[in-house]
Every structure is written in C-alpha cells, then in structure tokens.
Amino acid sequence: MSTPTWDAARENTHAAGLAAKLPPARMKLADADATTLAEPLTALGPLPAFPTSSVDGYAVAGGGPWRLSGQVLAGQTAPNIQAGQAIEVATGAMVPPGTEAIIRTENSTVDADDRVTGEARPKPEWREIGEETADGEELLPAGAAVTPAVLGLAAATGHDAIDVRPKPRAAVLVFGDELATTGAPRPGQVRDALGPMVPNILRRFGAGTVPGFSPRGPIEDTLESHIAVIRAALDDADIVCTTGGTMRGPRDHLHAALDALDAKYIVDSVAVRPGFPMLIAALPGGRFVAGLPGNPQSAVVALVSLVVPLIDGMSGRSLAPLSKVTLGADIAGRGDDTHLALVRIDHDGLAYPTGHTGSSMLRGLAGGHGFVVIDPGTSASAGDRVRFVPVPGAAA
Ligand SMILES: Nc1nc2c(c(=O)[nH]1)N[C@H]1C(S)=C(S)[C@@H](COP(=O)(O)OP(=O)(O)OC[C@H]3O[C@@H](n4cnc5c(N)ncnc54)[C@H](O)[C@@H]3O)O[C@H]1N2
Ligand code: MOO
C-alpha cells in the first residue's frame, strides 16, 4: 500500500466510516446531544403557532382613544377585538383576532376612565403564524450535527424524540511496558500521558466512551495481550484506539495483532509529520481499530487527522471543511509530507508557532489551540491564510 497524502488519508477514512455508519435510533431530546440527525428535522406545526405579541402593550382596532376591555396573558387564548377597543397583551400572548396595531406600554397612557391613548410604532409588534417555519417544513437535513440549539429548535416545533445516529463508542487501549501510572518517572520509565488525555479528546470530538476501556492500560507489549484486549474492547466499542506499537520495532505488535484479527487497512501510515505511523484498520462487522503512535503529540495528530473523520463518517456526517487562520510568523514545511504545526491563536487573532513541538512533547500542545496545515512542498509565511485543525480544550 503506497503512503497516502494527509488529505487523501482523511478522505479514505471518512468514506470507510460512512460505509459503516451506525444504524439510526430514536432518542429523547434529553439524550440526543452530540449525536447526528438520521432523518431531516421537520416542523411538526407552524412556528409561531399563533400570532404572537412581541411586546407588552395594548392591542387596538379602529381609531382611538380606545376603551380598555380586557387582558390576554401568555398562555391564554385571545377574544376577538372590536373597533374602538383596547386589549392589554403581554409579550408572548396571542394577539386578539381583528387587532390592527399594538401600542407598547411605554408609548401609551390609560386614564382613570380606562381610556387608552398612544401611538403605535410603524413596524408591526407581533409575529405572524409560521413566520419562522411552516408546518412540515424541513429545518435541517439528515447528517446535521445535533447541537444544544438543534435540541431547542426540535422542542420548539413539537418534537419529544428524534431519529439520530448515536455517537460511535470509542475504547482506548494504552500499550507499553515502560509506562507508569503514578508519580514522577524513574530511569527507564515513562509516565503514561495518553491514558488521561485521549478519552477526553475523543469525548470532545463527539465519541461515546466504553466503561472499563476509557482508558484500559498500561497493557503489556505482547502479541497475545494485544489480540485479547482488542477482542474484548470490540464487544462494546465501534472504534478501538490503541496507543504505541505502530512501527514495526522489536516490541511493536499492533500489525501482527491486526493480521490475526483479520483486519483490512484503510490507511497504514500517512505522509504527514509528526505522526506518520498512524493507521486505521477495518474489522469485520463495521468496526475499526485506530492505531495512534506512542509519541504523545503524534497520537493527538492521529486523532485529529483520522479519528475525527472516522467519527464523522460513522455518524453519517460529511467531512467537516477546515477553517483558515492567518499566520503571525513563518512556518517551514516538511518536504514531501504535510506538516501539522502546533500554533497558539494570540490576542491579535494571528496564529503563532508554540515552542516545544517535538513529537514526544506535550508542552506545545498544552499551550496551543491546534495545528495549522502546511501543504507538501510548501512553506508558509507570516500573513498567509492556512487551514487550521482545532484541538478542542487544548488551551485557555
Ligand atoms: N527506526 C525507526 N524508529 C522510529 C521511527 C522510524 O521512522 N524509524 N519513527 C519514530 C516515530 S516518528 C514515531 S511517532 C514512533 C512511533 O512509535 P510507536 O507507535 O511504535 O510507539 P512506541 O514505540 O510504543 O512508543 C514511541 C514513544 O512514545 C512513548 N510512549 C508510548 N506510549 C506512551 C504513553 N502512553 N505516554 C507517554 N509516552 C508514551 C514511548 O515511551 C516511546 O518513547 O516511532 C519512532 N521510531
Ligand atoms: O511520527 Mo513521529 O510522530 O514524528 O514522532
């Protein structure tokens, strides 16, 4: 398999995810945040459902002064209004049929004999039936991300539950005999930095987690343990993220384990720096293994490069286009490879390289906002607009 470009690897991974997208499920609104619409969201009725006052004031008909002859509060049904009458209305209340104008409270006076005088503003002060949506209108297409605002819109138009594709469930398996999980590392040891980091990044990218596997590890570097724990994780996970062992060194067992599990590579290394040994393999039953390199920053590069497109595909979403940022300083390319360079967006709105960007380091990532994409064969200069891959929650 020849090494794909970073862009091609993302597209291939997204397409593989889309081909294995998760089956739809009906979910109560309270449970549906961060899922994806499986069907278009349509209005179950017009919005607003009745002519609705946008102000506190007096509905009037005919010429004034008007005789105050009632009140409508939000939630009540309104009586008809006759010429010469004024009916006090609250914001959100139904506008009495026959209303010609609504005069705001602050633009009106009511005398001791309940006579209302005042002047209406030129623009109507109420919202007509169906102004926001007609009954049955499509509000959002299938494949749209379900955000808190989408939940609010669904509720506003009458839905109690919606058809969504659930979040793919991701397990995280941390491999490495050198890893310690507490205290400062002793000579020869490395503190596991991925266990505390990867599940939280996955959650922020819209993956669900699997109890007992968020993370599981450190797991010993043997072929048998790789095969056994990947199998166990697949009982509940749609995506199994492994860390380390992506090369073919003396203690790297991931490839052999994937062969034993009958996996097919979607991507097996990518022309990107850092993080090139990242891989995605498909397993029978529409599940995937994402091999994240052991170097901690490279593992995050693999998450944002391939696992995010995989989650998008399995969720039935299109591959999200990347926004662009303007560079505040020059950033060198990495020859024929795409360079994902850590940047911090500063107070001037421009992106500057962080320090400490070695692939084994995390200081740059912890102080940065994401990666800019320097395309193969190019270098970028201050002032250039370049694509930006955010790492949510990366920096304050
Ligand atoms: N002969 C070559 N060796 C290496 C090459 C190469 O091209 N030729 N590429 C290097 C690159 S680039 C990367 S990235 C790594 C990928 O290594 P693996 O995915 O096989 O991972 P490991 O060997 O297990 O570990 C690499 C490195 O990361 C540290 N590590 C691993 N897990 C964790 C963790 N959970 N928390 C913190 N640090 C972790 C590990 O101790 C190693 O230092 O391969 C290079 N080698
Ligand atoms: O792929 Mo490695 O990321 O350069 O440390």
Side-chain angles (χ1 to χ4, degrees):
M1 183 185 268
S2 69
T3 306
T5 63
W6 184 75
D7 282 286
R10 286 163 63 75
E11 279 158 26
N12 295 348
T13 301
H14 177 262
L18 208 52
K21 62 182 182 235
L22 298 172
R26 191 150 187 82
M27 267 190 209
K28 285 196 227 138
L29 295 189
D31 301 327
D33 184 33
T35 61
T36 306
L37 290 181
E39 301 290 337
L41 181 71
T42 51
L44 294 184
L47 265 188
F50 53 88
T52 308
S53 179
S54 349
V55 295
D56 297 318
Y58 297 92
V60 297
W66 301 273
R67 189 167 28 80
L68 183 57
S69 42
Q71 185 187 52
V72 195
L73 301 178
Q76 298 176 339
T77 52
N80 291 347
I81 192 168
Q82 312 297 332
Q85 285 186 333
I87 295 179
E88 187 178 12
V89 291
T91 302
M94 182 185 289
V95 177
T99 295
E100 290 171 15
I102 297 178
I103 308 171
R104 292 186 179 209
T105 315
E106 60 271 34
N107 301 139
S108 57
T109 48
V110 186
D111 69 13
D113 296 326
D114 276 350
R115 268 190 319 230
V116 178
T117 51
E119 196 168 335
R121 298 192 182 187
K123 272 176 63 184
E125 297 275 33
W126 67 87
R127 297 180 291 121
E128 298 290 0
I129 292 182
E131 207 175 283
E132 184 172 359
T133 173
D135 184 14
E137 194 174 328
E138 181 176 318
L139 304 172
L140 288 166
V146 177
T147 61
V150 171
L151 295 174
L153 177 64
T157 174
H159 292 274
D160 301 324
I162 49 179
D163 294 318
V164 297
R165 288 188 201 281
K167 300 183 212 179
R169 291 159 305 169
V172 177
L173 308 179
V174 175
F175 290 98
D177 293 336
E178 75 281 28
L179 300 177
T181 52
T182 179
R186 296 195 306 274
Q189 275 191 338
V190 174
R191 179 70 189 268
D192 170 25
L194 292 174
M197 182 164 68
V198 173
N200 288 305
I201 294 180
L202 284 165
R203 275 190 205 102
R204 283 172 160 87
F205 276 122
T209 47
V210 179
F213 289 92
S214 299
R216 168 76 59 99
I219 303 159
E220 61 172 337
D221 271 335
T222 64
L223 178 58
E224 296 69 36
S225 60
H226 270 74
I227 296 171
V229 74
I230 293 173
R231 273 217 179 98
L234 286 168
D235 283 345
D236 288 315
D238 304 302
I239 303 172
V240 177
C241 294
T242 64
T243 69
T246 57
M247 294 294 295
R248 293 174 191 267
R251 301 304 294 268
D252 295 334
H253 300 291
L254 184 58
H255 286 87
L258 290 173
D259 289 345
L261 290 164
D262 206 17
K264 307 260 174 304
Y265 291 103
I266 307 298
V267 169
D268 186 11
S269 96
V270 179
V272 63
R273 297 289 168 146
F276 77 90
M278 63 179 77
L279 65 85
I280 300 286
L283 288 158
R287 291 158 306 162
F288 295 88
V289 172
L292 315 180
N295 277 326
Q297 195 204 138
S298 303
V300 176
V301 168
L303 283 177
V304 301
S305 297
L306 299 184
V307 179
V308 171
L310 183 63
I311 291 171
D312 284 349
M314 293 187 87
S315 306
R317 294 198 288 259
S318 49
L319 186 58
L322 298 174
S323 60
K324 287 193 169 182
V325 293
T326 305
L327 291 181
D330 299 351
I331 297 186
R334 296 286 298 265
D336 291 339
D337 294 331
T338 298
H339 181 197
L340 288 202
L342 269 177
V343 293
R344 179 176 176 82
I345 312 291
D346 232 325
H347 296 298
D348 59 7
L350 303 178
Y352 294 88
T354 65
H356 305 285
T357 56
S359 61
S360 63
M361 298 180 184
L362 285 171
R363 281 181 69 179
L365 184 67
H369 293 99
F371 300 90
V372 289
V373 182
I374 311 300
D375 287 325
T378 71
S379 275
S381 309
D384 286 355
R385 301 271 298 157
V386 290
R387 291 184 291 167
F388 178 66
V389 185
V391 180

